[in-house]
């Protein structure tokens, strides 16, 4: 068995990414961006009341610490309650240094946090945002899960559960691709842009061979 001696490309070297994402798709996208060379920072909410010192505010850190640790290798973690004045001040301190903001909130939640795209773009015109949602457009406010999106696209074919979280992980790859797209577009326009990545679209993409009758 031979191993490649080619050095891995790091096309995101020098790029600063700020993530507000919890659970799986956003942190998986951030992990991928770090592997591509980006400098990654994640703001996490405070841990639940009564939790042991050092407990993460990300639910993944509570129910699967091993997965959480692997997802956040090399990521600088900062505790911030974005619903407070101090948390907002810290958020904007990091935004001022970031090239890309990665989010996984519903649009209405971003508005409540003072982060609607128009206001964000006006204040930070070169900042790009990649927003992970469950479904695109008007359905972005609907709650959903990986299994929901797979079932909608005919990828749950029996009584057994799928072998992995295909929509979440496929969406994370689409989100890291969107980071590259936004940065390439900024090189030409000089301005940041918003790209929405829907997990349901990721499931639909994975389902294309089945729809085409290739499986």
């Amino acid at each position: 068995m031979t191993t490649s001696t080619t050095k891995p490309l790091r096309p995101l070297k020098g790029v600063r990414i700020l993530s507000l994402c919890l659970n799986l798709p956003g942190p998986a996208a951030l992990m991928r961006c770090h592997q591509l060379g980006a400098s990654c920072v994640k703001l996490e909410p405070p841990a639940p009341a009564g939790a042991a010192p050092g407990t993460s505010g990300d639910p993944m850190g509570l129910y699967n610490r091993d997965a959480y640790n692997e997802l956040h290798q090399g990521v600088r973690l900062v505790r911030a309650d974005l619903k407070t004045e101090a948390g907002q001040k810290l958020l904007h301190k990091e935004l001022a240094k970031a090239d890309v903001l990665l989010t996984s909130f519903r649009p209405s939640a971003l508005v409540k946090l003072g982060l609607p795209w128009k206001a964000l773009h006006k204040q930070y015109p070169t900042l790009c945002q990649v927003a992970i949602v469950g479904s695109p457009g008007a359905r972005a406010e609907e709650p959903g899960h990986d299994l929901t999106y797979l079932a909608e696209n005919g990828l749950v074919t029996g009584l057994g559960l799928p072998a992995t979280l295909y929509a979440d992980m496929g969406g994370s790859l689409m989100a890291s691709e969107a980071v590259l797209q936004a940065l390439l577009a900024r090189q030409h326009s000089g301005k940041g842009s918003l790209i929405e990545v829907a997990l349901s679209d990721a499931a639909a993409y994975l389902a294309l061979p089945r729809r085409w009758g290739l499986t």
Side-chain angles (χ1 to χ4, degrees), residues 43-215:
L43 298 189
E44 288 192 348
T55 301
S56 169
D58 186 331
M60 178 72 77
L62 297 175
Y63 62 78
N64 194 320
R65 191 70 193 188
D66 289 340
Y68 173 88
N69 289 341
E70 187 168 348
L71 285 165
H72 295 89
Q73 274 189 345
V75 175
R76 179 164 67 89
L77 300 173
V78 180
R79 186 77 53 85
D81 185 350
L82 301 184
K83 297 177 182 179
T84 67
E85 184 178 346
Q88 283 287 316
K89 185 176 180 180
L90 183 55
L91 168 63
H92 284 276
K93 179 182 177 181
E94 295 293 341
L95 282 171
K97 298 183 289 185
D99 295 294
V100 180
L101 173 65
L102 186 63
T103 63
S104 58
F105 295 106
R106 288 174 295 174
S108 60
L110 287 172
V111 171
K112 290 179 181 178
L113 293 174
L115 295 173
W117 171 246
K118 285 186 178 180
L120 196 63
H121 186 53
K122 183 177 180 180
Q123 189 169 359
Y124 306 103
T126 63
L127 178 71
C128 302
Q129 181 183 357
V130 174
I132 300 171
V133 296
S135 297
R139 294 186 62 201
E141 291 292 332
E142 294 179 9
H145 301 279
D146 183 278
L147 192 63
T148 309
Y149 310 129
L150 295 182
E152 285 179 348
N153 288 280
L155 295 178
V156 182
T157 57
L159 296 179
L161 292 175
T164 189
L165 300 175
Y166 291 105
D168 284 355
M169 296 307 288
S172 76
L173 291 175
M174 292 179 75
S176 57
E177 179 186 86
V179 169
L180 294 168
Q181 290 174 351
L183 292 171
L184 283 171
R186 191 178 70 170
Q187 287 183 2
H188 295 285
S189 68
K191 298 179 180 179
S193 57
L194 167 66
I195 300 179
E196 183 181 87
V197 174
L199 300 180
S200 61
D201 285 346
Y205 183 76
L206 293 174
L208 284 176
R210 182 173 179 81
R211 181 162 65 82
W212 291 333
L214 298 178
T215 58

